[in-house]
Amino acid sequence: MPYGSTQIVIKGYEDVQKELKGLEKKAEKVVNRTIGDFKTRGPGWVSQEVMEEYTIKKKEINSTLAGKKSAGTIKVHGTKLDNIQLIYQGRMLTPTHFQMKPASRPSGSQPYTVTHFVKKKEGRKALSHKAFLAESGSEGTIQIPFQRSGDARYPIEPIKTVSVPQMITNEKVSKEIQERINTELGKRLKHNMNTIMKKR
């Protein structure tokens, strides 16, 4: 049976190949820029959602304040859109981070009640009637609330509330953070695609 073949030459094929390679490079650039946007803006999105539920200040959620311990840190790790992670850490916080009143022990021997305002929807609450204010070595000259561990004068222990990781993983906050990231990251991805893909 006769057999034959004909080599087909597609006109402009090399140009198409170059165009496809160019698109691959642009697509990679879109992804890299979107990841960069998330690393820059992501911690701020998280902080804003935490502040919707808690009274803590934004600069304390993710900060390294000079001369002070940071309440927490939020960082974004990952090199691809499918392996990005939010890494957060933070210590247990005293009521001083949540609008504590009074800010310092009243002069004299008059009785006082220490209150704080942690969650916006729960309002201001009083600490234990055993709570008293005293200076803390780790906090400089700031007075924080303490309470005695037993009936004796000592030992005493500082009263703590919640940490930044606990606030972020709060069921309601966590859900809002995920929705915020999905929305904002989608906007950045679309913006970067429109900007980069149109470039020659």
Side-chain angles (χ1 to χ4, degrees):
M1 179 180 292
Y3 175 82
S5 65
T6 302
Q7 181 71 37
I8 303 298
V9 178
I10 301 176
K11 189 176 181 179
Y13 176 63
E14 290 184 357
D15 293 336
V16 171
Q17 279 189 312
K18 289 179 181 179
E19 186 72 22
L20 289 174
K21 286 183 179 179
L23 289 175
E24 287 179 5
K25 289 181 180 179
K26 285 184 178 181
E28 184 178 355
K29 192 172 182 179
V30 168
V31 171
N32 290 338
R33 186 169 293 183
T34 302
I35 292 173
D37 287 343
F38 187 39
K39 288 183 177 181
T40 301
R41 305 180 187 209
W45 299 338
V46 173
S47 298
Q48 288 170 359
E49 294 306 323
V50 169
M51 289 171 58
E52 289 294 318
E53 184 75 8
Y54 296 88
T55 65
I56 191 169
K57 295 177 181 178
K58 183 178 180 179
K59 65 182 181 180
E60 292 188 284
I61 299 172
N62 181 36
S63 176
T64 52
L65 299 175
K68 294 184 180 180
K69 283 185 178 180
S70 172
T73 58
I74 305 170
K75 296 181 180 179
V76 178
H77 287 187
T79 57
K80 297 180 180 179
L81 286 177
D82 60 355
N83 72 356
I84 291 181
Q85 286 184 311
L86 276 172
I87 307 296
Y88 39 84
Q89 60 184 14
R91 56 197 169 89
M92 293 295 291
L93 303 174
T94 65
T96 57
H97 296 271
F98 299 99
Q99 302 180 25
M100 184 187 75
K101 291 183 179 180
S104 59
R105 185 173 57 251
S107 59
S109 58
Q110 58 180 320
Y112 61 93
T113 300
V114 183
T115 65
H116 66 339
F117 187 10
V118 179
K119 287 188 175 184
K120 291 182 176 180
K121 292 184 178 180
E122 293 183 359
R124 184 168 291 279
K125 292 185 177 182
L127 300 181
S128 166
H129 68 281
K130 296 181 180 180
F132 62 94
L133 296 174
E135 291 183 4
S136 169
S138 62
E139 297 289 342
T141 58
I142 294 175
Q143 292 189 5
I144 67 172
F146 289 87
Q147 63 183 0
R148 293 179 173 84
S149 300
D151 296 329
R153 186 176 178 83
Y154 293 102
I156 62 173
E157 57 185 21
I159 296 174
K160 300 293 180 74
T161 55
V162 294
S163 66
V164 167
Q166 287 175 325
M167 287 186 275
I168 292 174
T169 56
N170 169 288
E171 185 176 355
K172 181 177 182 298
V173 176
S174 179
K175 181 180 178 182
E176 295 296 331
I177 287 173
Q178 187 61 58
E179 290 180 359
R180 177 71 181 275
I181 289 174
N182 288 342
T183 299
E184 298 293 348
L185 211 52
K187 289 179 182 178
R188 296 313 305 166
L189 182 61
K190 186 176 181 180
H191 170 78
N192 291 329
M193 282 183 65
N194 290 337
T195 301
I196 294 172
M197 289 299 185
K198 289 179 181 179
K199 289 183 177 180
R200 290 289 179 180

